[in-house]
């Protein structure tokens, strides 16, 4: 599915992170505990240049605890990384976050060397809610400080603890197809950017595996796992009375209903990916992306040859005489592959 969005603020936010990172001790990456892999911004590691990172699996109250545990173990096994799960409206849990930051940069603290933390995350992941919980009664105030751009805000959580907030940022191209669906289902991308029915079909396709029981209970179904995705969505529509004239199931309405049930926890606590699944999806996505890049490069090379911006590469010594025109170059052959 092509999820189409304009990643607004992206350039400004990227620029702000690049400038700010030089004076940052810890990066907090806020992830959605229901889709930790898909909600991680692939550009962030590059932008934050190996700074100690705290992965916060937020909205843990909506995620499957049996899956949150392996995700935490996965992140905690990575060097320079710690991970915690929390519900951002819980003020006590939010205080754990401060302690985890201090553990990641033990040499920082006190007025001379205050802790400087950058917080990043995709839109709707719960950053504002978390910051409000962290700030509690302390007024969140933006710093009037040179270098603090409009794309970030400095919040002082203690006299020696500064949090630099960045706007929610998505990345321009999602190479993991499944991530696109999961981000759409979670609410990270605006409604106009995707097709509800497609997202709902993908959602029930996944849920009928590990969460068949929850689907059956919510929609009074018999054997969800045995149904095709279309049958499943249609049956849900019928059961929930999402009908249109002639008694046919209104698929759009049904899709909205299923997505909404997922987002509001009506289907129970669900996590849409395990570390192993995500690793597999990522490998497939990267392979397809590399193939796409080869094709793109070949098209560009062919274009440059055609318009004589660069000379045609020399033919090998035993070149077949039939290879006469530039469209027979290896690059052009690559470009012509479907
Ligand atoms: P953002 O700044 O990252 O864009 O996200 P924001 O805090 O605005 O949160 C987005 C939505 O997620 C809000 O719901 C918020 O209440 C909810 N949320 C944030 N953290 C958690 C959490 O840990 N658990 C749960 N269950 N929900 C969380 P909303 O319906 O869009 O707004 P509202 O009606 O709650 O104000």
């Amino acid at each position: 599915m092509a999820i189409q969005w304009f990643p607004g603020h992206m350039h400004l936010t990227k620029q702000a992170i690049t400038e700010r990172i030089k004076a940052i001790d810890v990066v907090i990456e806020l992830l959605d505990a229901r889709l930790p892999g898909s909600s991680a911004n692939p550009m962030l590691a590059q932008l934050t240049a190996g700074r100690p990172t705290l992965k916060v699996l937020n909205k843990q109250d909506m995620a499957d605890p049996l899956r949150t545990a392996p995700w935490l173990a996965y992140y905690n096994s990575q060097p320079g990384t710690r991970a915690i799960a929390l519900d951002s409206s819980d003020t006590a849990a939010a205080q754990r976050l401060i302690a985890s930051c201090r553990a990641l940069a033990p040499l920082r603290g006190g007025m001379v060397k205050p802790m400087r933390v950058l917080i990043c995350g995709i839109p709707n992941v719960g950053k504002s809610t978390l910051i409000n919980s962290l700030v509690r009664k302390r007024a969140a105030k933006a710093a009037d400080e040179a270098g603090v751009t409009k794309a970030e805000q400095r919040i002082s959580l203690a006299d020696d603890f500064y949090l630099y907030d960045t706007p929610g940022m998505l990345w321009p191209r999602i190479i993991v197809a499944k991530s696109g669906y999961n981000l759409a289902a979670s609410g990270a991308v605006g409604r106009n950017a995707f097709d509800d029915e497609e997202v709902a079909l993908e959602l029930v396709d996944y849920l009928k595996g590990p969460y068949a029981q929850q689907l059956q209970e919510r929609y009074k179904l018999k054997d969800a796992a045995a149904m095709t995705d279309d049958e499943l969505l249609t049956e849900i529509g019928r059961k929930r009375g999402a009908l249109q004239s002639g008694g046919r199931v209104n698929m759009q309405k049904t899709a909205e209903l299923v997505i909404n049930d997922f987002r509001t926890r009506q289907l129970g606590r669900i996590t849409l990916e395990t570390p192993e699944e995500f690793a597999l999806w990522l490998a497939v996505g990267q392979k397809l992306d590399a193939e796409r890049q080869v094709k793109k490069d070949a098209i560009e090379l062919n274009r440059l040859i055609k318009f004589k911006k660069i000379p045609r590469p020399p033919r090998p010594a035993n070149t077949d005489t039939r290879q006469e025109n530039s469209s027979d170059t290896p690059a052009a052959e690559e470009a012509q592959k479907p």
Side-chain angles (χ1 to χ4, degrees):
M1 175 185 62
I3 294 202
Q4 292 165 354
W5 67 73
F6 175 70
H9 300 309
M10 196 190 72
H11 293 298
L12 206 58
T13 307
K14 253 177 87 172
Q15 205 184 346
I17 293 178
T18 310
E19 278 166 24
R20 173 58 53 196
I21 200 66
K22 295 168 205 152
I24 284 295
D25 306 305
V26 173
V27 174
I28 296 177
E29 184 177 14
L30 212 51
L31 302 173
D32 188 326
R34 297 167 300 169
L35 44 141
S38 294
S39 56
N41 189 333
M43 295 186 327
L44 202 61
Q46 200 188 343
L47 290 176
T48 55
R51 288 287 188 285
T53 301
L54 178 66
K55 307 268 185 187
V56 175
L57 273 62
N58 193 37
K59 306 196 182 183
Q60 72 153 344
D61 55 310
M62 302 181 85
D64 179 348
L66 295 176
R67 288 181 165 209
T68 299
W71 272 109
L72 290 176
Y74 166 74
Y75 285 126
N76 278 319
S77 70
Q78 294 178 356
T81 308
R82 283 174 80 104
I84 57 170
L86 49 85
D87 164 355
S88 65
S89 58
D90 175 357
T91 48
Q95 292 305 313
R96 274 178 39 224
L97 183 145
I98 295 182
S100 301
C101 288
R102 293 207 189 272
L104 272 166
L107 300 179
R108 299 296 307 190
M111 300 296 273
V112 182
K113 288 191 293 178
M115 174 77 82
R116 298 152 310 172
V117 176
L118 185 76
I119 185 165
C120 312
I122 59 169
N124 216 34
V125 71
K127 204 147 55 63
S128 316
T129 313
L130 177 64
I131 290 173
N132 285 338
S133 301
L134 282 168
V135 169
R136 287 191 292 178
K137 292 193 180 69
R138 200 180 172 100
K141 53 174 194 256
D144 182 14
E145 179 191 300
V148 177
T149 70
K150 278 189 182 158
E152 69 174 16
Q153 190 188 25
R154 194 185 89 177
I155 299 145
S156 138
L157 295 183
D159 291 336
D160 66 342
F161 199 114
Y162 301 149
L163 189 66
Y164 291 90
D165 184 19
T166 54
M169 179 172 70
L170 280 166
W171 50 104
R173 207 159 51 80
I174 293 184
I175 64 164
V176 178
K178 198 79 175 118
S179 291
Y181 291 113
N182 288 354
L183 284 165
S186 76
V189 285
R191 288 216 37 209
N192 295 336
F194 60 88
D195 179 71
D196 291 308
E197 202 177 320
E198 245 185 290
V199 171
L201 283 169
E202 275 295 319
L203 186 59
V204 295
D205 179 56
Y206 187 82
L207 297 181
K208 74 183 181 185
Y211 298 107
Q213 187 69 29
Q214 273 146 276
L215 269 182
Q216 283 162 204
E217 277 169 20
R218 172 75 183 154
Y219 302 118
K220 317 261 179 302
L221 305 169
K222 284 257 156 54
D223 187 1
M227 295 185 194
T228 65
D229 306 337
D230 262 318
E231 286 167 353
L232 198 43
L233 202 58
T234 310
E235 192 56 14
I236 291 171
R238 207 183 324 274
K239 285 276 165 59
R240 298 303 303 270
L243 304 174
Q244 56 194 25
S245 57
R248 278 188 303 128
V249 170
N250 182 330
M251 296 299 267
Q252 172 64 29
K253 208 166 150 193
T254 310
E256 286 172 22
L257 185 149
V258 170
I259 293 170
N260 192 52
D261 279 356
F262 167 70
R263 288 183 187 167
T264 54
R265 232 179 91 175
Q266 300 294 332
L267 286 163
R269 296 176 71 168
I270 283 171
T271 300
L272 294 175
E273 51 204 43
T274 64
E276 294 75 22
E277 281 169 342
F278 185 75
L280 211 67
W281 301 340
L282 183 62
V284 172
Q286 284 171 337
K287 184 169 175 285
L288 290 174
D289 195 53
E291 287 166 6
R292 173 184 168 279
Q293 192 58 44
V294 168
K295 260 188 204 171
K296 233 178 112 186
D297 290 348
I299 290 169
E300 178 60 9
L301 178 63
N302 208 29
R303 192 185 68 79
L304 291 173
I305 292 171
K306 197 168 167 192
F307 293 105
K308 300 209 175 359
K309 295 247 169 64
I310 59 168
R312 189 177 305 166
R315 289 194 200 119
N318 62 349
T319 304
D320 188 320
T321 47
R322 280 171 299 175
Q323 291 184 359
E324 269 307 316
N325 59 46
S326 64
S327 66
D328 289 334
T329 61
E333 279 172 21
E334 192 56 48
Q336 283 165 7
K337 283 183 191 168

